[in-house]
Amino acid sequence: MAETEPSEGFSETSSSITFVSPDGNKRIKDYQWLYAGNPLSGYKVWSHVTGTHKKVGTDWEWDDIKHDNFSVSEKPSYMTVTVTLNGTPVPTMGTTAAEISVKCSIEASVIFKGSPFGYPSKDFNRNSPIFYVD
């Protein structure tokens, strides 16, 4: 099963602020982006990232970005999909923009007559879309 790189320039992303410090000078924002998918079976692999922003004067700036985990959605009931992180994710941060490079292996199996029929694991190295402090 061939996983593919997301098309349309990472159009599938979402984010939400999950914490603001009592003094209002720090916030944590969770990001989710489409890491890979399989157009034949329809499953999608998502990367979950946590960003920490700090307030400098009246502006927000990046303080930290880290990869938290992967999740799989839209997986048919006749499949198993295993995602394994390979190595340490590498962040790149500027003042107002950040991204993270994440390596993993994805293994998909079709369940046939109660037993998994596996495909070889495939390695990926992907950069997240650029996330901005907004």
Side-chain angles (χ1 to χ4, degrees), residues 2-132:
E3 287 79 15
T4 60
E5 195 158 340
S7 59
E8 303 175 31
F10 296 107
S11 62
E12 295 189 59
T13 62
S14 66
S15 64
S16 62
I17 294 174
T18 59
F19 172 80
V20 177
S21 65
D23 64 5
N25 290 323
K26 180 180 176 182
R27 68 183 182 191
I28 295 174
K29 195 169 187 178
D30 291 332
Y31 299 89
Q32 172 179 290
W33 59 283
L34 181 59
Y35 187 88
N38 185 301
L40 297 176
S41 65
Y43 73 82
K44 295 178 179 180
V45 175
W46 299 91
S47 171
H48 299 271
V49 174
T50 298
T52 304
H53 309 154
K54 62 184 175 184
K55 201 164 200 177
V56 178
T58 59
D59 298 321
W60 288 102
E61 295 182 0
W62 276 96
D63 189 38
D64 189 32
I65 186 171
K66 65 178 182 139
H67 169 80
D68 292 322
N69 58 39
F70 291 105
S71 66
V72 179
S73 69
E74 302 176 37
K75 177 186 67 66
S77 60
Y78 59 84
M79 289 191 75
T80 62
V81 178
T82 303
V83 185
T84 305
L85 180 66
N86 294 338
T88 303
V90 179
T92 303
M93 290 187 306
T95 303
T96 60
E99 68 179 350
I100 192 162
S101 176
V102 183
K103 295 179 183 180
C104 80
S105 298
I106 299 175
E107 183 176 2
S109 298
V110 173
I111 299 171
F112 181 71
K113 294 186 178 182
S115 298
F117 177 73
Y119 294 90
S121 178
K122 184 172 179 185
D123 293 334
F124 291 86
N125 183 13
R126 301 265 165 82
N127 291 331
S128 72
I130 296 174
F131 299 116
Y132 295 94

